[in-house]
Amino acid sequence: SGSGTVETYKISNSTGSFGRGLQFGATVGYMFSENIGAELNVGYLLGSKITTTDKELKNNGDTYSSTATASGNMLRLTPALRFSVGKDKLKPYMRVGLVIGVGNKIATTFSSTDFNASNGKTNIDESEMAVTGGVSMGFAAGVGVNYMFSNKVGIFAELGIISQAWAPSKSVLTKSTTDGVDNLPFLTTSQKETDYVSNYTTTSGTYSPGTPSTALKQYTPFSSVGINVGVHLAFGK
């Protein structure tokens, strides 16, 4: 905020995980014995949106505001060992295993409004970016209980935890406009696309506008703690 000759800034961190959200899935498994088995879960994460904002009022009357919103999606494969106890309708269990993320994506939208008090003009910029590629590995575990209405049908509820991070391999700018005018036709491939690598070498004085830019990989959190509920169907003996 601006007043007289003084401008005041307040800055704070916004923390969170792209693993927060809603996941749908199904699990198939096989019990080697009454107490020990193996299973494979296939789940799709619909991540919640994470939003950051910036608002500025300058001494000369200029104002600026922007909003950036990002959300992540991920197809997860979770092979695990399952340990179950109990012989009656109520059967507590625990599972531990790996989580493998494929088809990963973070979609980001950005919009800003910049007002110039000297000429009364307002500029509006909007952009969208898709961040994709790469496989994510992590750890998954859960403790819960099955309640069986019969030998074949029951319900379950569990507390699950996922520890996972993801480093994308590519980002693409899919939208860029200024006051409604499309900027993409005037941008080079280097300005629209970025390849993320573990290390790279650059030479000063060289620039290739027709190829993607290069940047170091950065790991993004996809960890979560949540409640899983569903229907349990048993086959065979």
Side-chain angles (χ1 to χ4, degrees):
S1 59
S3 176
T5 59
V6 177
E7 289 185 349
T8 302
Y9 300 89
K10 181 180 180 180
I11 303 170
S12 62
N13 255 335
S14 178
T15 59
S17 171
F18 285 100
R20 183 181 62 187
L22 188 63
Q23 178 166 298
F24 302 89
T27 302
V28 294
Y30 178 81
M31 297 300 293
F32 303 118
S33 68
E34 190 174 348
N35 304 113
I36 301 176
E39 64 181 38
L40 173 65
N41 173 269
V42 179
Y44 189 76
L45 170 69
L46 295 174
S48 300
K49 291 182 178 180
I50 298 176
T51 301
T52 59
T53 60
D54 180 13
K55 296 182 179 180
E56 301 176 17
L57 170 62
K58 298 185 180 295
N59 293 336
N60 59 4
D62 292 354
T63 62
Y64 174 83
S65 64
S66 68
T67 301
T69 303
S71 61
N73 297 330
M74 179 178 289
L75 178 64
R76 285 170 165 163
L77 308 176
T78 308
L81 290 176
R82 184 183 183 93
F83 306 92
S84 178
V85 296
K87 296 182 179 181
D88 299 322
K89 292 184 176 181
L90 204 62
K91 297 183 178 181
Y93 68 88
M94 176 181 70
R95 59 175 180 82
V96 292
L98 299 176
V99 56
I100 304 168
V102 296
N104 314 323
K105 180 180 180 180
I106 292 179
T108 301
T109 61
F110 176 82
S111 63
S112 67
T113 301
D114 194 353
F115 172 72
N116 189 319
S118 63
N119 58 21
K121 184 178 180 181
T122 300
N123 292 323
I124 299 176
D125 292 311
E126 296 181 326
S127 64
E128 297 179 2
M129 178 179 290
V131 185
T132 59
V135 176
S136 173
M137 300 289 292
F139 170 79
V143 291
V145 61
N146 278 335
Y147 182 81
M148 302 300 294
F149 299 111
S150 67
N151 291 334
K152 303 297 183 182
V153 180
I155 57 174
F156 72 89
E158 70 170 39
L159 175 66
I161 181 173
I162 294 175
S163 177
Q164 186 180 23
W166 170 53
S169 61
K170 190 176 187 64
S171 66
V172 178
L173 187 66
T174 57
K175 176 183 178 180
S176 176
T177 63
T178 300
D179 297 333
V181 178
D182 189 4
N183 297 321
L184 288 181
F186 308 102
L187 300 178
T188 65
T189 300
S190 179
Q191 292 172 315
K192 293 183 292 185
E193 301 180 16
T194 301
D195 291 334
Y196 300 100
V197 297
S198 298
N199 57 76
Y200 65 98
T201 301
T202 61
T203 303
S204 61
T206 61
Y207 175 63
S208 301
T211 60
S213 300
T214 303
L216 289 178
K217 286 184 177 180
Q218 296 186 11
Y219 283 85
T220 302
F222 268 81
S223 300
S224 64
V225 176
I227 300 296
N228 301 320
V229 294
V231 176
H232 182 97
L233 303 176
F235 301 92
K237 298 181 179 181

